[in-house]
Amino acid sequence: MPPRTPTPPPGVDTILILDFGSQYAQLIARRIREAGVFSLLVAPDRPAAELAAMKPKGLILSGGPASVTEQGSPRADPRIFELGVPILGICYGMQLGCQILGGRVEAAARREFGRTALRIQDAGDLLAGLPDRTSVWMSHGDQVADLGGAFDVLASSETCPHAAVRHRGGRFFGVQFHPEVTHTPHGTDLLRNFLYAICRCQGTWRMRDFADLAAERVRAQVGRDRVICGLSGGVDSSVVAALLQKAIGDQLTCIFVDNGLLRTNERALVEATFRDHFEADLRVVDASEAFLADLAGVVDPQEKRRRIGHRFIEVFREAAKGVGGARFLAQGTLYPDVIESGHGHAGTAAGIKLHHNVGGLPEQLGFDLVEPLRDLFKDEVRALGEVLGLPSQVVWRHPFPGPGLAVRVLGEVTREKLALLRQCDEILLEEIVSHNLYRSTDQTFAVLLPVRSVGVMGDGRTYDSVVAIRAVETQDFMTADWARIPHDVLATISNRIINEVRGVNRVVYDISTKPPATIEWE
């Protein structure tokens, strides 16, 4: 079954964003949704008739790295300007719209990158409520040199005389700067003006309504067939399971594989949440002995991952055989997964990446996919989890790698090393939570290093293990900075680990950024 292209929910105002490859395209979509209006990224060359069929209240043309003056640069169907809906062009999108409507674009005499002072000349509609002078974020080499007599200038900067324009037909607006980034302080106000004053959106996009809509979609897709959900204990799969339980009840079977590489009490939390709270049909498979046997003597990180993935598929396949009448497999594909796999265009997504604990199972077992979260960003998934009544410790849980603690025990994985790391990790998380730092960090964990160091405890010399602490802050996990945890908190964590965990005599803190380092050590 080919992946479904995201479609606007019926009866909800929608803004379509034509994505010309901007690094900020997803951010535009998020800003629109944060304002209470549903948004979707679509391929920039999608025919106007197809866009019209999606009944948008307005269109946004994103920025992009190309130049509209170059042959072969991405284009939009010119007939979008005949759809009768407002259009906002941002950076490249502004230049393209102005060019199509009679303007001329050329290389700027002086390029603008970074914060720029903007002078507003027309504070109506798009720029209503903004101060006469404000700061905006510019990132362009080309600019509109000649408006062709069909536009009014709304704002300018020192080197860009046409920084914001309005077509005299009243349906196209263009801004050379980026209102979607935080470096443009009044950018959200501009976007809200476009949504509410110009597109006349109602702002009815709410997560509770989405939960009901997604449940209806699931029921329509699966009918009376049974659905299997591979639970990992992570946010995405947990929200999928809770949503499916709401939608189809006893037609859902959840399979949780205990690979012996989990954190302390992780299996118990999953069982308490889904078997006790949601009364779901949860089948727990304890395959820890098989996984640990596969890992014996293995030190190469990629070989660890390969063996864990292979064993998981075998275990999951056997568990799935015991679920009679199952036709569908549910997984937690998110909207960024759809966008990334489709080369930035949701409308062309073809190779959707699978959940890390499901791997290639849909093809191997012949399942059809159920992906109820594929229209949502990560923060929206957490909001949906709260609406569905998931415990906060599940909804706000930091990401946990599919191979579990196997990639946080550097070198060979043994039962003894896992037990030691679990103790360290539990102490670390206790202190991070108690100091109210869990939500201000995006991933925090302990790593057992394959080295020993000399220490002194009491009157004796020790030669014990070293544990590293990793804590990062990130928006997208593509890049990350190390978290500035207060020194007194780090001191408490170190003292507790060394005093309470037998076999550890040294704790170090990882202050590497990504890149060049990765978040996980293996």
Side-chain angles (χ1 to χ4, degrees):
M1 169 183 278
R4 177 183 66 80
T5 299
T7 55
V12 174
D13 292 340
T14 300
I15 298 293
L16 299 180
I17 302 162
L18 278 63
D19 178 10
F20 291 96
S22 170
Q23 61 179 318
Y24 303 129
Q26 287 192 40
L27 189 54
I28 299 171
R30 291 170 64 92
R31 293 288 180 259
I32 301 303
R33 292 190 186 185
E34 287 167 2
V37 179
F38 189 68
S39 63
L40 282 176
L41 291 166
V42 298
D45 57 354
R46 198 155 181 176
E50 290 186 14
L51 299 178
M54 300 173 79
K55 296 181 171 52
K57 294 286 284 188
L59 305 178
I60 293 179
L61 312 184
S62 84
S67 169
V68 299
T69 63
E70 296 173 351
Q71 188 173 3
S73 59
R75 313 293 292 179
D77 184 345
R79 290 171 295 180
I80 63 174
F81 294 97
E82 302 169 9
L83 296 180
V85 299
I87 300 175
L88 172 64
I90 297 175
C91 197
Y92 179 94
M94 171 195 178
Q95 296 164 13
L96 180 62
C98 289
Q99 186 184 68
I100 292 173
L101 294 172
R104 189 180 81 252
V105 178
E106 59 184 38
R110 193 170 132 202
R111 299 185 298 172
E112 285 184 301
F113 294 97
R115 283 191 176 87
T116 301
L118 186 76
R119 297 185 302 274
I120 294 178
Q121 291 140 255
D122 184 339
D125 45 47
L126 186 67
L127 304 180
L130 273 67
D132 294 341
R133 290 179 176 269
T134 184
S135 177
V136 297
W137 186 261
M138 291 280 197
S139 180
H140 67 98
D142 293 346
Q143 64 186 34
V144 180
D146 184 351
L147 294 171
F151 291 85
D152 294 319
V153 176
L154 306 182
S156 60
S157 71
E158 182 180 351
T159 61
C160 184
H162 310 133
V165 300
R166 176 182 57 231
H167 189 259
R168 287 181 183 154
R171 307 305 279 175
F172 177 72
F173 299 80
V175 293
Q176 187 57 69
F177 53 90
H178 289 273
E180 69 273 21
V181 301
T182 55
H183 301 302
T184 300
H186 292 281
T188 299
D189 299 326
L190 183 152
L191 291 173
R192 292 181 70 89
N193 286 339
F194 178 70
L195 296 175
Y196 294 112
I198 297 171
C199 295
R200 303 295 180 185
C201 293
Q202 299 301 308
T204 56
W205 168 247
R206 297 290 183 272
M207 193 49 64
R208 187 169 296 280
D209 297 329
F210 177 85
D212 295 335
L213 172 66
E216 289 176 13
R217 283 180 172 174
V218 168
R219 286 191 287 268
Q221 180 184 2
V222 308
R224 295 303 306 164
D225 288 306
R226 180 163 289 280
V227 179
I228 293 175
C229 177
L231 261 180
S232 70
V235 178
D236 302 339
S237 69
S238 296
V239 173
V240 168
L243 178 62
L244 291 177
Q245 185 65 22
K246 166 186 171 71
I248 57 175
D250 59 10
Q251 290 173 244
L252 173 67
T253 295
C254 296
I255 297 176
F256 178 81
V257 176
D258 184 350
N259 57 15
L261 306 169
L262 306 175
R263 285 175 166 174
T264 303
N265 296 325
E266 193 161 3
R267 173 173 164 178
L269 174 61
V270 171
E271 290 189 281
T273 300
F274 289 96
R275 182 174 285 155
D276 301 340
H277 181 65
F278 287 101
E279 299 182 349
D281 177 16
L282 174 63
R283 306 189 184 185
V284 177
V285 182
D286 189 342
S288 54
E289 294 292 340
F291 279 93
L292 290 175
D294 290 341
L295 293 171
V298 178
V299 297
D300 180 70
Q302 289 306 107
E303 182 62 15
K304 287 182 186 179
R305 290 177 180 273
R306 189 193 69 79
R307 293 192 180 201
I308 291 168
H310 180 76
R311 176 63 65 180
F312 180 85
I313 289 175
E314 282 191 1
V315 173
F316 197 95
R317 180 192 290 120
E318 286 303 310
K321 286 180 181 178
V323 183
R327 177 186 162 195
F328 294 93
L329 178 69
Q331 63 181 32
T333 305
L334 304 189
Y335 195 38
D337 303 333
V338 177
I339 296 166
E340 290 164 9
S341 62
H343 196 57
H345 303 142
T348 59
I352 308 303
K353 79 177 181 183
L354 302 177
H355 189 278
H356 62 244
N357 268 356
V358 175
L361 285 170
E363 293 81 2
Q364 294 198 23
L365 299 184
F367 287 124
D368 290 335
L369 288 180
V370 177
E371 299 172 307
L373 309 184
R374 59 181 287 119
D375 292 348
L376 301 183
F377 291 101
K378 187 74 171 188
D379 56 331
E380 294 174 316
V381 172
R382 295 190 193 277
L384 177 59
E386 291 184 325
V387 165
L388 293 169
L390 280 169
S392 60
Q393 63 263 44
V394 173
V395 171
W396 293 99
R397 186 175 189 262
H398 287 180
F400 189 62
L405 297 180
V407 292
R408 294 178 180 173
V409 172
L410 306 195
E412 182 181 7
V413 178
T414 66
R415 195 180 300 277
E416 294 73 26
K417 290 179 181 178
L418 289 169
L420 185 150
L421 181 58
R422 284 192 186 98
Q423 294 178 65
C424 298
D425 198 66
E426 188 173 12
I427 291 170
L428 168 62
L429 293 180
E430 280 181 4
E431 292 301 327
I432 291 294
V433 170
S434 68
H435 286 87
N436 200 29
L437 295 171
Y438 192 77
R439 291 203 192 181
S440 63
T441 56
D442 295 290
Q443 197 164 358
T444 303
F445 56 91
V447 181
L448 181 61
L449 305 186
V451 295
R452 293 194 170 193
S453 70
V454 174
V456 177
M457 289 188 178
D459 295 324
R461 176 180 180 275
T462 62
Y463 189 57
D464 285 329
S465 296
V466 179
V467 169
I469 294 170
R470 180 73 156 146
V472 299
E473 297 172 356
T474 178
Q475 289 189 334
D476 55 13
F477 289 91
M478 301 301 292
T479 62
D481 193 12
W482 59 279
R484 272 60 171 179
I485 294 177
H487 291 175
D488 59 335
V489 177
L490 289 174
T492 300
I493 293 167
S494 176
N495 288 337
R496 282 197 60 192
I497 288 176
I498 291 172
N499 289 328
E500 297 177 30
V501 182
R502 186 176 296 275
V504 177
N505 68 358
R506 192 176 299 268
V507 174
V508 298
Y509 189 51
D510 182 350
I511 58 170
S512 310
T513 61
K514 176 186 179 181
T518 55
I519 294 177
E520 297 287 346
W521 279 50
E522 285 193 343

